[in-house]
Amino acid sequence: MTVTTRGTLPSYLTEGRAVFPEGFVWGAATASYQIEGAARDDGRGVSIWDRFSHTPGKVAGGHTGDVACDHYHRYADDVRMMTDLGLAAYRFSVSWPRVQPDGAGPINPRGLDFYDRLVDELGTAGITPYVTLYHWDLPQALEDRGGWTSRDTAYRLAEYAQAVHARLGDRVRHWTTLNEPWVAAFLGYGTGVHAPGRTDAASALQASHHFLLAHGLATQALRSAGVDEVMLVINSSPVLTPAQVADPAAEISEADAEAVNRVDALLNRQILDPVLRGRYPDEVLKIVERHGGLDHIHDGDLREINQRLDLIGVNYYNPCAVRSGPGEPANPAFPGTEDVEFATLDVPATAMGWPIHPAGLSQLLVRLSQDYPEVGLMVTENGAAFDDAVTKAEGGDRVHDADRTAYLNSHLRAVHAAIEAGADLRGYLVWSLLDNFEWAEGYHRRFGIVHVDFATQRRVLKDSARFYRDVIKENGFA
Ligand code: IFM
């Protein structure tokens, strides 16, 4: 189904003065497997993404993260580039198999040495590190013992969190337990598009619960080690009918409202309510009951999960458009939505095919701040993939990525509008600093504000990076 919502963006999303609050944190984000490379260096173990990407047919072009951006060896140059861009914060993730090759048992000090060097380099540059403990690279040895469908994995994450904190905690104040548990559970264990590539709705629902348990246990481990700031990063989208995407005030039928509510429960509240309220939405429990049952949710789990949290990190790319439909085959990413149609929007899209809808980011941030006033918010990822071209120019190569620049412009203005409307938003981190390994899409999709030539590892600032540097310098659009 296709719905037209094409039209010009409101001017507050494209032009005019917009100054951000003092102390607003500007930065960029990356993740270990997507940029580090050095897959066999210094005792690193094998992760589910090594196994998956080396399995023929799983990743476009047969690409792997073996070398990626070679950031493991080039981190000092990359930090210099961050300084050049004026970044105040850098969000990166720690590779679990680098630190604990089998996900249990001995810690590999040489793996931790890398993050030690990186954190020191950032410290010298005056850039604040935001450390994510888990951005999808589970040690394969744990997957072989059940992965995230096994309860034990949650306890292993807490142990690993302790080990990382013991080494970096003297210099790192901002800790994130997990990146996008919904994606890791439902694409990793439901659709199988991500590692470990399992395709079973019941397993995805179990994995999702164990991710939340891991978040709760790791938060407790960090707190007992004296950590002040803990964040959970989620992929979040406003769930809307196509009519509401075109006009937020559009009237919708009861059946559509019910479809919207159910998908919102699965995508957003399945994660947020246990973590912040200590309970699952009823709609979700009913679905879990029908897909494998509730036995994996033990008494006391919700207490473990519902720990004090400082920030929710919001990764926003596009809205989720749904309506009540005639019935589709079961969607393993959204079990229990056989009667829901996932709509394609006829609006401009990125190279991922993701519809561009900056107003959705304002709506989302305002809604999260209203519904969960107990936590602050940070946009921990936002950005876009486009097909970039390097052009020769006097004074060096350039990448004229006007589409990405426009995307960032409109989304930053949407962030500003959300703050004006009362959202408690502390910062914005662009995804991503560098073009990198985009999971199942390999290196075909470029999200960086810095272009990477993967044959030579040469970095070139794109026009969007220059634009972002100016925004940072002005603390907005002066
Ligand atoms: O590249 C990913 C990132 O690892 C998690 N959030 C979405 C990005 C774009 O797909």
Side-chain angles (χ1 to χ4, degrees):
M1 197 229 29
T2 294
V3 169
T4 301
T5 58
R6 200 179 287 279
T8 50
L9 291 173
S11 61
Y12 79 94
L13 292 177
T14 53
E15 60 200 42
R17 188 182 154 83
V19 178
F20 284 74
E22 209 179 308
F24 191 77
V25 178
W26 294 105
T30 63
S32 46
Y33 191 72
Q34 294 182 272
I35 65 164
E36 284 179 4
R40 318 257 177 280
D41 287 33
D42 299 329
R44 178 183 175 281
V46 174
S47 81
I48 54 174
W49 270 98
D50 294 302
R51 177 67 59 83
F52 190 76
S53 63
H54 279 270
T55 306
K58 297 295 185 190
V59 173
H63 297 169
T64 74
D66 286 1
V67 178
C69 307
D70 195 31
H71 174 74
Y72 191 80
H73 299 114
R74 295 166 194 263
Y75 71 93
D77 287 344
D78 289 341
V79 171
R80 264 191 289 283
M81 216 165 51
M82 294 178 213
T83 304
D84 179 33
L85 290 172
L87 303 189
Y90 175 51
R91 171 180 178 243
F92 63 92
S93 76
V94 174
S95 156
W96 188 349
R98 211 179 270 298
V99 168
Q100 196 179 25
D102 288 333
I107 297 296
N108 172 31
R110 288 186 298 159
L112 278 171
D113 287 348
F114 167 66
Y115 299 103
D116 217 48
R117 294 193 292 275
L118 173 60
V119 165
D120 279 347
E121 196 72 29
L122 290 166
T124 306
I127 298 170
T128 304
Y130 280 71
V131 170
T132 300
L133 288 162
Y134 186 81
H135 197 128
W136 306 353
D137 38 4
L138 182 74
Q140 180 63 39
L142 289 187
E143 175 59 23
D144 295 342
R145 286 163 32 193
W148 286 104
T149 58
S150 159
R151 208 178 154 76
D152 181 62
T153 302
Y155 291 86
R156 299 286 68 78
L157 184 96
E159 186 181 281
Y160 150 74
Q162 229 163 11
V164 178
H165 180 271
R167 179 66 92 84
L168 305 180
D170 56 339
R171 287 151 292 155
V172 174
R173 284 194 44 240
H174 307 276
W175 292 86
T176 294
T177 52
L178 307 173
N179 178 73
E180 300 183 4
W182 185 91
V183 171
F186 289 92
L187 302 197
Y189 293 80
T191 67
V193 169
H194 280 190
R198 292 207 242 162
T199 51
D200 172 48
S203 299
L205 289 161
Q206 278 175 23
S208 178
H209 178 70
H210 293 146
F211 271 118
L212 299 185
L213 184 61
H215 159 75
L217 297 171
T219 301
Q220 292 175 53
L222 292 170
R223 293 288 189 210
S224 356
V227 168
D228 278 338
E229 187 186 290
V230 180
M231 169 155 71
L232 171 68
V233 169
I234 61 170
N235 54 295
S236 192
S237 294
V239 182
L240 303 163
T241 63
Q244 289 173 312
V245 173
D247 170 10
E251 296 271 322
I252 60 170
S253 69
E254 229 170 84
D256 282 352
E258 198 278 324
V260 163
N261 182 58
R262 206 171 344 134
V263 173
D264 180 62
L266 285 164
L267 181 63
N268 294 313
R269 286 179 285 123
Q270 175 173 200
I271 309 294
L272 289 166
D273 284 7
V275 167
L276 297 171
R277 298 281 156 75
R279 58 169 190 266
Y280 275 109
D282 291 342
E283 304 89 324
V284 170
L285 287 178
K286 278 192 206 137
I287 291 168
V288 179
E289 216 167 354
R290 292 206 314 271
H291 293 82
L294 296 164
D295 288 354
H296 61 285
I297 306 177
H298 293 192
D299 283 351
D301 279 3
L302 285 154
R303 257 199 317 281
E304 302 282 15
I305 292 169
N306 177 210
Q307 298 298 315
R308 176 168 68 82
L309 192 67
D310 301 287
L311 290 169
I312 286 289
V314 177
N315 294 353
Y316 173 80
Y317 292 91
N318 51 261
C320 175
V322 301
R323 63 196 292 172
S324 160
E328 285 183 0
N331 178 347
F334 289 96
T337 60
E338 294 76 4
D339 53 350
V340 173
E341 203 175 308
F342 286 79
T344 310
L345 297 169
D346 185 19
V347 296
T350 67
M352 296 292 280
W354 296 348
I356 301 174
H357 186 55
L361 178 53
S362 307
Q363 284 168 324
L364 176 68
L365 294 171
V366 171
R367 178 258 172 126
L368 292 176
S369 246
Q370 278 168 358
D371 288 359
Y372 304 97
E374 61 273 45
V375 277
L377 301 175
M378 185 159 202
V379 173
T380 36
E381 284 184 27
N382 175 239
F386 289 105
D387 297 330
D388 301 315
V390 180
T391 51
K392 299 270 166 228
E394 236 176 80
D397 290 355
R398 297 292 295 261
V399 178
H400 299 305
D401 57 339
D403 29 21
R404 184 175 296 96
T405 305
Y407 182 100
L408 293 183
N409 187 355
S410 59
H411 284 75
L412 284 169
R413 287 168 185 280
V415 166
H416 187 264
I419 296 172
E420 300 263 281
D424 178 8
L425 194 78
R426 315 285 173 80
Y428 175 95
L429 312 178
V430 71
W431 185 270
S432 182
L433 177 70
L434 302 167
D435 289 337
N436 59 49
F437 176 81
E438 176 51 28
W439 308 114
E441 307 290 338
Y443 299 99
H444 292 307
R445 294 286 172 259
R446 294 178 175 271
F447 273 91
I449 56 171
V450 175
H451 185 274
V452 178
D453 177 334
F454 293 105
T456 62
Q457 292 297 343
R458 206 162 72 89
R459 275 78 161 139
V460 173
L461 294 196
K462 301 181 190 176
D463 287 356
S464 58
R466 296 163 192 268
F467 162 80
Y468 191 46
R469 175 166 59 190
D470 290 345
V471 172
I472 295 173
K473 199 156 146 224
E474 299 288 344
N475 195 30
F477 307 88

